Tab-separated table of all heavy atoms in Angstrom:
chain	number	residue	atom	x	y	z
A	1	ALA	N	0.814	-1.196	0.000
A	1	ALA	CA	0.008	-0.005	-0.005
A	1	ALA	C	0.899	1.225	0.011
A	1	ALA	O	1.848	1.325	0.708
A	1	ALA	CB	-0.910	-0.009	1.211
A	2	GLN	N	0.492	2.221	-0.834
A	2	GLN	CA	1.253	3.471	-0.942
A	2	GLN	C	0.296	4.638	-0.810
A	2	GLN	O	-0.882	4.583	-1.167
A	2	GLN	CB	1.960	3.526	-2.263
A	2	GLN	CG	3.064	2.448	-2.449
A	2	GLN	CD	3.587	2.466	-3.923
A	2	GLN	OE1	2.803	2.293	-4.862
A	2	GLN	NE2	4.838	2.727	-4.062
A	3	HIS	N	0.826	5.739	-0.297
A	3	HIS	CA	0.066	6.983	-0.229
A	3	HIS	C	0.707	8.008	-1.159
A	3	HIS	O	1.971	7.970	-1.339
A	3	HIS	CB	0.067	7.533	1.195
A	3	HIS	CG	-0.662	6.626	2.168
A	3	HIS	ND1	-0.008	5.593	2.822
A	3	HIS	CD2	-1.945	6.559	2.533
A	3	HIS	CE1	-0.881	4.956	3.573
A	3	HIS	NE2	-2.070	5.548	3.417
A	4	PHE	N	-0.064	8.848	-1.823
A	4	PHE	CA	0.482	9.729	-2.819
A	4	PHE	C	-0.436	10.916	-2.982
A	4	PHE	O	-1.573	10.950	-2.573
A	4	PHE	CB	0.677	8.954	-4.131
A	4	PHE	CG	-0.597	8.494	-4.779
A	4	PHE	CD1	-1.205	9.253	-5.810
A	4	PHE	CD2	-1.181	7.293	-4.443
A	4	PHE	CE1	-2.426	8.859	-6.411
A	4	PHE	CE2	-2.356	6.848	-5.084
A	4	PHE	CZ	-2.946	7.641	-6.015
A	5	SER	N	0.116	11.945	-3.637
A	5	SER	CA	-0.657	13.058	-4.136
A	5	SER	C	-0.199	13.400	-5.508
A	5	SER	O	0.827	12.990	-5.969
A	5	SER	CB	-0.499	14.280	-3.173
A	5	SER	OG	0.822	14.817	-3.255
A	6	THR	N	-1.022	14.181	-6.196
A	6	THR	CA	-0.715	14.584	-7.593
A	6	THR	C	-0.701	16.131	-7.663
A	6	THR	O	-1.293	16.790	-6.835
A	6	THR	CB	-1.781	14.030	-8.581
A	6	THR	OG1	-3.064	14.450	-8.198
A	6	THR	CG2	-1.708	12.542	-8.631
A	7	GLN	N	-0.021	16.590	-8.686
A	7	GLN	CA	0.068	18.045	-8.862
A	7	GLN	C	-1.253	18.633	-9.329
A	7	GLN	O	-2.026	17.992	-10.071
A	7	GLN	CB	1.193	18.361	-9.884
A	7	GLN	CG	1.505	19.857	-10.006
A	7	GLN	CD	2.693	20.080	-10.872
A	7	GLN	OE1	3.514	19.184	-11.070
A	7	GLN	NE2	2.795	21.304	-11.448
A	8	ASN	N	-1.558	19.851	-8.844
A	8	ASN	CA	-2.763	20.510	-9.252
A	8	ASN	C	-2.823	20.648	-10.742
A	8	ASN	O	-1.805	20.746	-11.488
A	8	ASN	CB	-2.758	21.930	-8.669
A	8	ASN	CG	-3.616	22.028	-7.400
A	8	ASN	OD1	-4.528	21.262	-7.191
A	8	ASN	ND2	-3.284	22.978	-6.528
A	9	GLY	N	-4.041	20.655	-11.295
A	9	GLY	CA	-4.291	20.933	-12.679
A	9	GLY	C	-4.232	19.731	-13.586
A	9	GLY	O	-4.289	19.905	-14.808
A	10	GLY	N	-4.050	18.519	-13.060
A	10	GLY	CA	-3.961	17.374	-13.899
A	10	GLY	C	-5.318	16.965	-14.445
A	10	GLY	O	-6.374	17.333	-13.922
A	11	PRO	N	-5.379	16.161	-15.542
A	11	PRO	CA	-6.657	15.802	-16.147
A	11	PRO	C	-7.495	14.891	-15.282
A	11	PRO	O	-8.698	14.812	-15.480
A	11	PRO	CB	-6.197	15.058	-17.426
A	11	PRO	CG	-4.809	14.574	-17.127
A	11	PRO	CD	-4.201	15.604	-16.238
A	12	GLY	N	-6.878	14.208	-14.271
A	12	GLY	CA	-7.674	13.400	-13.385
A	12	GLY	C	-8.532	14.171	-12.450
A	12	GLY	O	-9.479	13.623	-11.832
A	13	GLY	N	-8.196	15.460	-12.207
A	13	GLY	CA	-9.028	16.337	-11.427
A	13	GLY	C	-8.833	16.290	-9.940
A	13	GLY	O	-9.514	17.028	-9.211
A	14	ALA	N	-7.908	15.475	-9.437
A	14	ALA	CA	-7.699	15.422	-7.975
A	14	ALA	C	-7.025	16.765	-7.521
A	14	ALA	O	-6.083	17.278	-8.190
A	14	ALA	CB	-6.800	14.246	-7.631
A	15	PRO	N	-7.509	17.316	-6.402
A	15	PRO	CA	-6.826	18.518	-5.862
A	15	PRO	C	-5.382	18.204	-5.505
A	15	PRO	O	-5.037	17.074	-5.109
A	15	PRO	CB	-7.679	18.809	-4.599
A	15	PRO	CG	-8.955	18.117	-4.794
A	15	PRO	CD	-8.664	16.900	-5.611
A	16	GLY	N	-4.518	19.213	-5.614
A	16	GLY	CA	-3.121	18.999	-5.315
A	16	GLY	C	-2.840	18.720	-3.881
A	16	GLY	O	-1.692	18.269	-3.556
A	17	SER	N	-3.742	18.995	-3.003
A	17	SER	CA	-3.530	18.722	-1.531
A	17	SER	C	-4.241	17.511	-1.072
A	17	SER	O	-4.253	17.212	0.113
A	17	SER	CB	-3.933	19.953	-0.692
A	17	SER	OG	-5.336	20.195	-0.824
A	18	ALA	N	-4.863	16.723	-1.975
A	18	ALA	CA	-5.530	15.494	-1.579
A	18	ALA	C	-4.526	14.372	-1.404
A	18	ALA	O	-3.616	14.234	-2.234
A	18	ALA	CB	-6.609	15.113	-2.592
A	19	ILE	N	-4.613	13.618	-0.317
A	19	ILE	CA	-3.731	12.442	-0.092
A	19	ILE	C	-4.526	11.237	-0.439
A	19	ILE	O	-5.606	10.953	0.146
A	19	ILE	CB	-3.202	12.425	1.347
A	19	ILE	CG1	-2.399	13.664	1.662
A	19	ILE	CG2	-2.398	11.184	1.609
A	19	ILE	CD1	-1.975	13.806	3.104
A	20	GLN	N	-4.040	10.427	-1.345
A	20	GLN	CA	-4.702	9.215	-1.819
A	20	GLN	C	-3.946	7.968	-1.391
A	20	GLN	O	-2.759	8.026	-1.137
A	20	GLN	CB	-4.876	9.265	-3.332
A	20	GLN	CG	-5.677	10.450	-3.819
A	20	GLN	CD	-5.862	10.492	-5.325
A	20	GLN	OE1	-6.541	9.676	-5.913
A	20	GLN	NE2	-5.154	11.405	-5.944
A	21	GLU	N	-4.645	6.878	-1.311
A	21	GLU	CA	-4.018	5.611	-0.947
A	21	GLU	C	-4.245	4.554	-2.016
A	21	GLU	O	-5.382	4.391	-2.456
A	21	GLU	CB	-4.616	5.099	0.385
A	21	GLU	CG	-4.000	3.796	0.880
A	21	GLU	CD	-4.635	3.266	2.171
A	21	GLU	OE1	-5.685	2.560	2.082
A	21	GLU	OE2	-4.059	3.557	3.224
A	22	LYS	N	-3.171	3.875	-2.408
A	22	LYS	CA	-3.296	2.720	-3.290
A	22	LYS	C	-3.110	1.485	-2.456
A	22	LYS	O	-2.036	1.258	-1.877
A	22	LYS	CB	-2.196	2.774	-4.365
A	22	LYS	CG	-2.122	1.510	-5.224
A	22	LYS	CD	-1.052	1.583	-6.295
A	22	LYS	CE	-0.790	0.255	-6.955
A	22	LYS	NZ	-2.051	-0.340	-7.551
A	23	ASP	N	-4.133	0.635	-2.399
A	23	ASP	CA	-4.075	-0.583	-1.682
A	23	ASP	C	-4.515	-1.717	-2.637
A	23	ASP	O	-5.705	-1.913	-2.848
A	23	ASP	CB	-4.954	-0.585	-0.446
A	23	ASP	CG	-4.751	-1.762	0.465
A	23	ASP	OD1	-3.940	-2.658	0.105
A	23	ASP	OD2	-5.398	-1.856	1.501
A	24	GLY	N	-3.546	-2.346	-3.260
A	24	GLY	CA	-3.881	-3.306	-4.318
A	24	GLY	C	-4.481	-2.590	-5.505
A	24	GLY	O	-3.897	-1.634	-6.082
A	25	ASP	N	-5.678	-2.975	-5.901
A	25	ASP	CA	-6.327	-2.323	-7.040
A	25	ASP	C	-7.269	-1.168	-6.640
A	25	ASP	O	-7.926	-0.615	-7.452
A	25	ASP	CB	-7.232	-3.359	-7.790
A	25	ASP	CG	-6.355	-4.383	-8.529
A	25	ASP	OD1	-5.144	-4.099	-8.754
A	25	ASP	OD2	-6.869	-5.415	-8.932
A	26	THR	N	-7.278	-0.873	-5.361
A	26	THR	CA	-8.198	0.150	-4.799
A	26	THR	C	-7.483	1.462	-4.547
A	26	THR	O	-6.474	1.490	-3.874
A	26	THR	CB	-8.853	-0.362	-3.484
A	26	THR	OG1	-9.529	-1.580	-3.727
A	26	THR	CG2	-9.881	0.679	-2.994
A	27	ILE	N	-8.073	2.504	-5.073
A	27	ILE	CA	-7.555	3.897	-4.880
A	27	ILE	C	-8.617	4.699	-4.142
A	27	ILE	O	-9.764	4.821	-4.611
A	27	ILE	CB	-7.198	4.586	-6.173
A	27	ILE	CG1	-6.358	3.695	-7.090
A	27	ILE	CG2	-6.536	5.936	-5.924
A	27	ILE	CD1	-5.013	3.482	-6.585
A	28	THR	N	-8.239	5.229	-2.979
A	28	THR	CA	-9.187	6.035	-2.195
A	28	THR	C	-8.504	7.327	-1.680
A	28	THR	O	-7.287	7.300	-1.519
A	28	THR	CB	-9.711	5.291	-1.003
A	28	THR	OG1	-8.623	4.770	-0.234
A	28	THR	CG2	-10.593	4.095	-1.426
A	29	THR	N	-9.253	8.410	-1.526
A	29	THR	CA	-8.757	9.601	-0.902
A	29	THR	C	-8.882	9.441	0.604
A	29	THR	O	-10.015	9.184	1.101
A	29	THR	CB	-9.486	10.806	-1.403
A	29	THR	OG1	-9.336	10.953	-2.803
A	29	THR	CG2	-9.027	12.079	-0.714
């Protein structure tokens, strides 16, 4: 499992300050 964030303005639309978690095939904020 990994935690990550993305840069603002990406096509996926996630805010730049959102922290997301990848756990297997599941991605959640």
